Amino acid sequence: FWLKAHVSARDVAFRPCAMTALAFLEINVALLRCFVSGLCTLRKLPHELWTSSEDAVITVSPEVRKEYEQKIQAIGALIREKSPAEYKRISTHTMLVLQRVLWIAVAAMSADIRLFWLAGSLQFLVAPYSLAVSFMLFIMFFYQMCASHLVSALVLHFLPLSWLPNLELEISNTSIAVFMALDFLVTSYYALVACSDGTPKRSSVGQSLRHMIYGTFNGRGYVLLLLLISRGCKISLTWIAADALLGISPWVNNFIQDSFLSWETMFYHIHRMEHLPVVYEHAHRIHHYLPDGTAWDSHIFSGAGFPEDFFYLLQDVLLVRYAGLPAPWMTYRLLKHQRLNKDAHQRRDASYQHEQYHPDHHLYHRVNFGFNKPMLDLLFDTYKPTKKEWLDLGEASYKKEQAADGSIVIHMKVQKRPFPLGSRQNYAGWQMALMRLMV
């Protein structure tokens, strides 16, 4: 009788846990389906919305806009209806911070890769929806940064590079400290000294220190984890130099930027999904924990941070530890993205005359989901409320109108030539010279 009662009680306790896990799994699968389905809808939009570098007038069918909005609203309603209630004595944010501290401690004290991934996987118990979000971001970063990196690696593999001096840098505690210090100095420059087109906003000492400490922990934890678990591995500086000179990566990357898998479309789509109810608490709130935007809040090459970086951290560990390749962010091409990301997150002071596109997202949270161009925000009415007819972002101005037939018309007026295409990689010098000769 005692054994029967004990098994029955255990079964009663197990059922709610199993049902909760299945509910979280169902929502994760639904998020991934919405990710794919939403991209298929965005594919129907005129590609000039993200490829234009000259003055443009772009007309969009209201049916495409309606279709996309219905999908976003539907996944939001599904989450509200089926997401299990969570009763936690400690907030999700606090538990994620503690999990990240544990993960870094494990990486610092042990080289056991199994223990490393076990500590990292705890985030999915703390924040189940970070599973789908981190996988979506992995897909985005694979297309935006790793695909071109791997094509370049394939080409370099078959080139006779043995005659070049083999310069290598071993990842050690010293090299990690040097890199983190250099990144800290560059970030400090954008946060405290000067931005690309203005002066950074001055904050109180207390507020600056909070952003400095928390932002460094959030945005650079990914790099610290990768380097700590890769101690003893060697990064080929010769390979990085050959990759920069050969210039294969820009050709592949810039081809992708002309497709519906461009940075602008994928970033906007995933970013909107990150702000869905409950999903936001599980995945993206860490990045928005402190109000307003500063250079400290930027990731090494994106706007994410933990717990959204799990799968592309896995990718980079595999590249560095087992494939003998540098991580994509270590290459010359992506230095541009690291610099632009710090610059784009930093709010300018009151003398700045243009729109502060991404810093305003950090101020208002539920608007301005794009990064370089506001066209998709204008199209889907997710730009911050404003009475301005034209939105001046510095490089270009934008305006939205509605035609008599219901179509949406987006105007783009370029003010800076050549128009800076932030999501594209820079071509090698010899490629630029060749292009000038061919024009």
Side-chain angles (χ1 to χ4, degrees):
F1 172 79
W2 176 85
L3 181 61
K4 183 178 180 180
H6 180 70
V7 171
S8 177
R10 185 179 63 183
D11 185 50
V12 169
F14 174 76
R15 284 179 195 168
C17 294
M19 291 173 65
T20 298
L22 288 174
F24 280 129
L25 179 61
E26 179 184 359
I27 299 296
N28 271 297
V29 171
L31 285 167
L32 294 175
R33 285 177 175 169
C34 182
F35 168 60
V36 175
S37 176
L39 283 177
C40 290
T41 299
L42 293 176
R43 183 174 62 88
K44 302 175 184 177
L45 294 172
H47 288 200
E48 291 83 4
L49 286 169
W50 51 86
T51 61
S52 293
S53 58
E54 298 293 339
D55 294 355
V57 178
I58 306 164
T59 303
V60 182
S61 166
E63 296 303 318
V64 180
R65 179 182 181 277
K66 181 180 178 181
E67 180 183 325
Y68 180 77
E69 286 296 333
Q70 286 177 340
K71 290 178 179 180
I72 294 296
Q73 296 302 320
I75 187 64
L78 180 67
I79 293 169
R80 292 186 186 94
E81 177 188 353
K82 293 195 173 184
S83 188
E86 297 180 80
Y87 304 99
K88 297 177 180 178
R89 294 182 179 180
I90 304 175
S91 70
T92 300
H93 173 268
T94 300
M95 288 195 290
L96 283 171
V97 169
L98 292 174
Q99 183 267 337
R100 193 66 161 198
V101 171
L102 172 66
W103 198 2
I104 292 173
V106 167
M109 294 186 292
S110 172
D112 188 332
I113 194 68
R114 291 168 298 182
L115 185 60
F116 177 82
W117 289 118
L118 177 62
S121 300
L122 292 176
Q123 76 172 60
F124 302 126
L125 296 178
V126 173
Y129 297 145
S130 66
L131 176 65
V133 172
S134 58
F135 189 75
M136 289 188 294
L137 280 165
F138 160 71
I139 296 297
M140 181 176 78
F141 286 121
F142 181 84
Y143 275 107
Q144 304 304 318
M145 299 175 183
C146 193
S148 58
H149 186 69
L150 293 178
V151 171
S152 183
L154 182 64
V155 173
L156 287 171
H157 178 74
F158 291 101
L159 291 180
L161 301 178
S162 57
W163 57 273
L164 293 174
N166 187 24
L167 302 177
E168 294 180 323
L169 175 65
E170 182 176 340
I171 300 176
S172 64
N173 289 334
T174 301
S175 60
I176 294 172
V178 169
F179 174 82
M180 298 298 286
L182 288 174
D183 180 77
F184 184 87
L185 290 174
V186 174
T187 308
S188 299
Y189 177 81
Y190 283 103
L192 304 173
V193 180
C195 302
S196 63
D197 59 352
T199 304
K201 177 185 175 182
R202 304 300 178 197
S203 303
S204 67
V205 174
Q207 187 177 2
S208 295
L209 285 174
R210 283 194 293 273
H211 279 278
M212 184 185 298
I213 295 169
Y214 184 85
T216 300
F217 171 69
N218 175 33
R220 282 73 184 165
Y222 151 82
V223 175
L224 188 57
L225 283 167
L226 171 62
L227 297 180
L228 285 173
I229 200 61
S230 302
R231 281 174 294 184
C233 298
K234 294 181 179 180
I235 302 299
S236 174
L237 303 180
T238 302
W239 192 97
I240 292 175
D243 170 67
L245 291 172
L246 186 62
I248 294 295
S249 295
W251 289 105
V252 179
N253 173 267
N254 296 344
F255 173 79
I256 293 172
Q257 298 312 313
D258 289 333
S259 74
F260 75 99
L261 297 175
S262 71
W263 172 270
E264 295 295 328
T265 51
M266 296 191 80
F267 185 91
Y268 178 87
H269 181 41
I270 294 173
H271 201 182
R272 277 201 71 176
M273 293 184 67
E274 288 175 322
H275 282 262
L276 288 167
V278 191
V279 175
Y280 177 74
E281 294 292 328
H282 283 209
H284 199 54
R285 184 174 180 267
I286 294 283
H287 184 56
H288 283 274
Y289 180 66
L290 296 178
D292 215 346
T294 73
W296 304 107
D297 302 309
S298 64
H299 192 273
I300 189 69
F301 54 74
S302 73
F306 78 94
E308 302 169 88
D309 53 10
F310 181 89
F311 287 106
Y312 57 86
L313 175 58
L314 170 61
Q315 164 203 280
D316 287 355
V317 169
L318 293 174
L319 289 175
V320 174
R321 282 180 60 111
Y322 302 107
L325 292 172
W329 62 265
M330 297 176 179
T331 61
Y332 170 76
R333 303 290 164 207
L334 294 185
L335 288 176
K336 168 187 174 181
H337 291 269
Q338 296 180 36
R339 178 182 61 82
L340 288 177
N341 196 41
K342 300 177 196 301
D343 190 41
H345 274 83
Q346 179 59 50
R347 180 170 293 282
R348 276 58 162 170
D349 65 11
S351 66
Y352 192 69
Q353 298 299 312
H354 310 296
E355 292 286 303
Q356 304 212 40
Y357 184 36
H358 194 69
D360 280 345
H361 170 69
H362 280 261
L363 196 60
Y364 301 106
H365 301 299
R366 296 181 182 274
V367 295
N368 293 21
F369 293 110
F371 198 79
N372 294 314
K373 289 181 178 179
M375 291 194 182
L376 292 177
D377 277 305
L378 289 173
L379 176 62
F380 294 112
D381 289 331
T382 53
Y383 196 86
K384 72 171 186 179
T386 179
K387 295 181 179 180
K388 297 178 181 178
E389 182 182 9
W390 285 89
L391 302 174
D392 177 11
L393 269 67
E395 296 89 1
S397 293
Y398 303 87
K399 182 176 74 169
K400 172 186 173 181
E401 291 180 329
Q402 188 154 359
D405 63 355
S407 299
I408 298 134
V409 182
I410 306 293
H411 298 260
M412 175 179 173
K413 189 192 309 180
V414 175
Q415 298 165 186
K416 182 178 180 180
R417 288 184 171 85
F419 182 77
L421 295 168
S423 57
R424 292 176 177 266
Q425 293 183 14
N426 295 329
Y427 290 105
W430 67 269
Q431 293 169 330
M432 296 294 293
L434 185 61
M435 290 177 189
R436 285 192 290 269
L437 288 173
M438 294 175 64
V439 173

